[in-house]
Amino acid sequence: MRLMRVGAPGAEVPVAHIADGTHLDLRPVTADIDAAFLAADGMARARAAIAEGSLPTIDIAGLRVGAPIARPGVVLCIGMNYAAHAAEGGSLPPEHPVMFYKAPNTVVGPYDDVRIPRGATKTDWEVELAAVIGTTARYLSSPGEALEHVAGYTISNDVSERALQLEISGGQWSKGKSCETFNPLGPWLVTPDEIAGPQTLGLRSWVNGDARQNSNTKDMIFDVATLIYELSQVTVLEPGDVINTGTPEGVALSGRFPYLAAGDEITLEIDGLGHQRQRLVSA
């Protein structure tokens, strides 16, 4: 099942994307795809309504595509979760997951503009697999039960301003991660049964059509199940929370590519999860 939200910011409509290219209006089931929907067994209710054939079709042509989950309670991010990416930033692979927070209001649609902060010169791209939590997870007993708490997966661009993140951060990465529009998400929230597994997905990015990142989630240092298990030991994961699981090598921080500038275009894709495209504009 692939769910999405379309319409103007703050007025998005919940929609199911069907394999034949049609779209079904989910408003008979829910007003939005949000924490309350997930907590009330909304995914099962949506699946049942689709199977019954009771939902009307909806024409989304020309409509903006929003993030597939309404503003999350928290965006939890994992740093340096691919060894090659850690190395290109001058770090050794971590012994434990590196966790930091992004402001939830950074989440925008997959095709929305990304705004370069005032005075910024080191804005960077990061294609990531995002896991959206469907049921509360706290003090899980093992990674083996972690994926039961995932509602679905989507594409995340963990946009970063490296000077704010690393040079004048004060020791915390969140300053360089929480600028407005710094987390394009979507286009779809894809249920786990629609993909072979979270550790078998190719992920890629381009800037102005030139290849940047090309890797696979099998190369994660800590797999998605381990991340959810580890996070549940230090915080309560709630329905609608978004976990950005880390980015592979190929970012501007490596020194191999220029940082982003106004007018640049980023394209990102992950197997089975669709693609994103953003234009860079000045704030």
Side-chain angles (χ1 to χ4, degrees):
M1 187 166 61
R2 298 177 179 181
L3 305 186
M4 59 191 301
R5 301 167 64 247
V6 298
E12 292 91 347
V13 171
V15 170
H17 175 90
I18 307 303
D20 65 2
T22 62
H23 297 87
L24 302 178
D25 191 336
L26 283 171
R27 282 176 290 184
V29 176
T30 182
D32 206 349
I33 301 169
D34 54 13
F37 166 73
L38 295 175
D41 205 22
M43 298 297 266
R45 291 187 289 111
R47 191 184 299 276
I50 293 169
E52 291 169 0
S54 60
L55 298 174
T57 59
I58 182 172
D59 183 4
I60 69 168
L63 295 179
R64 167 186 173 270
V65 179
I69 182 79
R71 181 170 169 166
V74 68
V75 180
L76 278 170
C77 305
I78 305 299
M80 301 188 296
N81 198 29
Y82 292 75
H85 174 60
E88 72 179 354
S91 301
L92 294 173
E95 295 183 12
H96 305 282
V98 175
M99 181 186 83
F100 61 92
Y101 288 86
K102 283 188 96 146
N105 64 4
T106 60
V107 173
V108 294
Y111 311 113
D112 289 345
D113 290 345
V114 168
R115 298 179 183 177
I116 298 174
R118 292 181 179 178
T121 59
K122 294 184 178 180
T123 302
D124 210 345
W125 61 89
E126 298 188 44
V127 60
E128 304 198 11
L129 173 67
V132 177
I133 297 298
T135 56
T136 301
R138 60 187 299 276
Y139 294 120
L140 299 182
S141 60
S142 73
E145 62 181 286
L147 297 186
E148 299 172 6
H149 296 273
V150 175
Y153 299 97
T154 189
I155 307 171
S156 180
N157 187 0
D158 176 20
V159 183
S160 309
E161 209 301 315
R162 300 301 189 185
L164 292 175
Q165 177 190 355
L166 301 172
E167 298 169 20
I168 54 174
S169 66
Q172 299 292 331
W173 287 3
S174 294
K175 185 188 292 185
K177 300 284 188 170
S178 292
C179 304
E180 61 178 343
T181 73
F182 264 28
N183 207 131
L185 201 67
W188 307 315
L189 178 63
V190 180
T191 51
D193 60 295
E194 292 279 336
I195 61 173
Q199 305 310 141
T200 63
L201 304 176
L203 62 172
R204 293 161 290 275
S205 68
W206 297 260
V207 176
N208 299 326
D210 295 326
R212 292 293 184 258
Q213 296 171 279
N214 186 1
S215 188
N216 193 287
T217 56
K218 68 183 179 183
D219 294 324
M220 285 182 181
I221 298 170
F222 305 102
D223 63 22
V224 176
T226 298
L227 292 176
I228 293 172
Y229 163 74
E230 293 283 353
L231 291 172
S232 79
Q233 310 304 309
V234 298
T235 189
V236 178
L237 302 174
E238 298 182 331
D241 288 351
V242 173
I243 301 173
N244 288 340
T245 61
T247 200
E249 67 174 323
V251 297
L253 180 64
S254 67
R256 308 199 319 264
F257 310 110
Y259 286 103
L260 296 166
D264 285 345
E265 184 177 86
I266 318 168
T267 306
L268 311 94
E269 69 178 22
I270 298 180
D271 294 346
L273 303 183
H275 74 277
Q276 297 186 357
R277 184 176 294 109
Q278 297 102 36
R279 184 172 62 98
L280 275 292
V281 299
S282 174

